[in-house]
Amino acid sequence: MMDTPNTASTFDVEALRGQFPALQQTVNGKPLVYLDNAATTQKPLCVIDAVNQFYRLDNANIHRGVHALSARATEHYEAAREQIRHSLNAAAVEEIVFVRGTTEAINLVAASFGQRLKAGDEILISALEHHANIVPWHMLRERIGIVLKVIPVTDLGALDLSALPALITSRTRLVAVNHVSNALGTINPVQEICAQAHAHGVPVLVDGAQGLPHGLVDVQAMGCDFYAMSGHKAFGPSGVGALYARRPWLDELPPYQGGGDMIETVCFDAVRYAPPPAKFEAGTPNIEGAIGLKAALAWHAGLDWPSITAYEAQLLAAATAGLKEIPGLRIIGTAACKVPVVSFVIAGCHPHDIGTLLDAMGIAVRTGQHCAMPVLAQLGAPSGTVRASFAFYNNTDEVTALIRAVHRAHALLS
Ligand code: PLP
């Protein structure tokens, strides 16, 4: 996914923007320029309609009902699982576990895989991680005394893979890294990391929260053991996502939570768990979320990805070039391989002040540490950055608006 292109894009962004009602509004009297896509993406009409249709016609609980609505809801829910399998190119639909999102997917693995671990076992993460892929492992460290090791990051914000061979030891039990950094936009060489880890018999979890929003994902080609994703980052609803896990792991690992729907038989002396994925899905899930996610991913799978990749590279290049001209502005994260995320600081201006002024001009960016305190501290931005994160529905007028607005904010603040 996401190779740097060298062809001009023929991508029709305006036709695509028309499918997103939220992008058609004004904010503070200005046309909305939505550049907070790494936090959450806007939703196309097909997703809004799918959720609306479910509530209007099909609303019922799944799996347990003999009546028509329950059967319909179950059919839609399981079709959503199949769509996720297809979108991630997993080998089997049983390898897809519904969760609340990436955070819950990683917590599921930490809780469940964590039961196999003992004091001194090592988990290898990277310095580029979102807190969602740091804190669950830290909690295991507190609970059972595992050791957390960290793949270093270069000053450009890329993983330093030369350090990897020395970091994987006979005590390494899992490598957990993100596919794409939310704070800097760096695309990580996850396939290479999987190959190196597997050469030592070590499984790999990939935090894919920022992967699908920028391309097609193929977990088999990547070679990962676990892949975590969030629906809301990939044009679908909030509160729903998926954990992909290779089938042997799902057979082997203990359940994460107990309750209805994840059992085969229950008596007071013993419980027999259902086979995966049900074993990991206790309780009533986010049914409407899954149905919205199905619509989002079916739509996503039909997009012209080679053109989108080229187009996103143009957005990134234009935003980077324009922002770099602003006196005192420093871009944090300049790795060679990036999605269109530009994180920056301006000497003498607090990121929150810049963000507030941009909002007054109709431009939505995120300011702060982006749940990635370690890497921002390392790259000299401990108070955070301003982050403009683009999606393929952003256009070049919005890049121009951002650059002009940051110039104005800088002039007002300095
Ligand atoms: N990992 C990365 C790289 C992210 O960008 C995010 C959210 O920003 C997460 C994990 C957590 O995702 P969620 O809040 O959807 O669970």
Side-chain angles (χ1 to χ4, degrees), residues 38 101-103 130 132 178 180 182 207 209-210 230 232-233:
T102 304
T103 303
H130 185 283
N178 65 35
V180 174
N182 65 306
D207 166 353
Q210 303 290 342
S230 296
H232 71 102
K233 310 265 191 205

Side-chain angles (χ1 to χ4, degrees), residues 16-24 42-44 235 299 392-393:
L16 205 125
R17 281 178 75 83
Q19 299 179 40
F20 287 80
L23 298 177
Q24 322 298 325
Q42 297 302 340
K43 320 303 171 197
F235 314 99
W299 172 86
F392 49 69
Y393 48 57

Side-chain angles (χ1 to χ4, degrees), residues 274-287:
K279 179 171 127 183
F280 296 95
E281 293 181 359
T284 301
N286 182 348
I287 305 165

Side-chain angles (χ1 to χ4, degrees), residues 205-255:
L205 177 148
V206 176
D207 166 353
Q210 303 290 342
L212 268 174
H214 298 286
L216 298 171
V217 170
D218 183 336
V219 290
Q220 295 188 75
M222 191 183 290
C224 59
D225 297 84
F226 303 97
Y227 192 89
M229 61 85 59
S230 296
H232 71 102
K233 310 265 191 205
F235 314 99
S238 300
V240 68
L243 171 70
Y244 156 79
R246 285 203 303 109
R247 178 67 196 252
W249 286 115
L250 291 181
D251 287 329
E252 201 179 305
L253 294 177

Side-chain angles (χ1 to χ4, degrees), residues 150-341:
V150 182
I151 305 169
V153 166
T154 68
D155 290 345
L156 302 182
L159 292 187
D160 179 2
L161 279 204
S162 68
L164 196 54
L167 285 167
I168 300 179
T169 73
S170 60
R171 300 302 303 265
T172 310
R173 299 289 173 258
L174 182 77
V175 177
V177 290
N178 65 35
H179 191 176
V180 174
S181 155
N182 65 306
L184 311 184
T186 312
I187 302 168
N188 291 316
V190 281
Q191 195 165 349
E192 166 68 19
I193 293 170
C194 289
Q196 288 204 38
H198 286 167
H200 293 83
V202 176
V204 180
L205 177 148
V206 176
D207 166 353
Q210 303 290 342
L212 268 174
H214 298 286
L216 298 171
V217 170
D218 183 336
V219 290
Q220 295 188 75
M222 191 183 290
C224 59
D225 297 84
F226 303 97
Y227 192 89
M229 61 85 59
S230 296
H232 71 102
K233 310 265 191 205
F235 314 99
S238 300
V240 68
L243 171 70
Y244 156 79
R246 285 203 303 109
R247 178 67 196 252
W249 286 115
L250 291 181
D251 287 329
E252 201 179 305
L253 294 177
Y256 168 51
Q257 295 176 329
D261 246 19
M262 52 78 75
I263 46 82
E264 232 157 43
T265 56
V266 176
C267 63
F268 289 119
D269 300 326
V271 171
R272 207 164 75 218
Y273 302 127
K279 179 171 127 183
F280 296 95
E281 293 181 359
T284 301
N286 182 348
I287 305 165
E288 60 276 41
I291 286 161
L293 181 55
K294 171 176 179 276
L297 293 182
W299 172 86
H300 174 282
L303 296 172
D304 173 4
W305 280 102
S307 293
I308 288 178
T309 304
Y311 177 75
E312 287 199 346
Q314 289 172 1
L315 290 178
L316 175 64
T320 304
L323 289 169
K324 264 191 351 206
E325 295 301 313
I326 296 170
L329 186 145
R330 185 162 65 92
I331 293 179
I332 308 293
T334 52
C337 223
K338 279 182 62 169
V339 300
V341 167

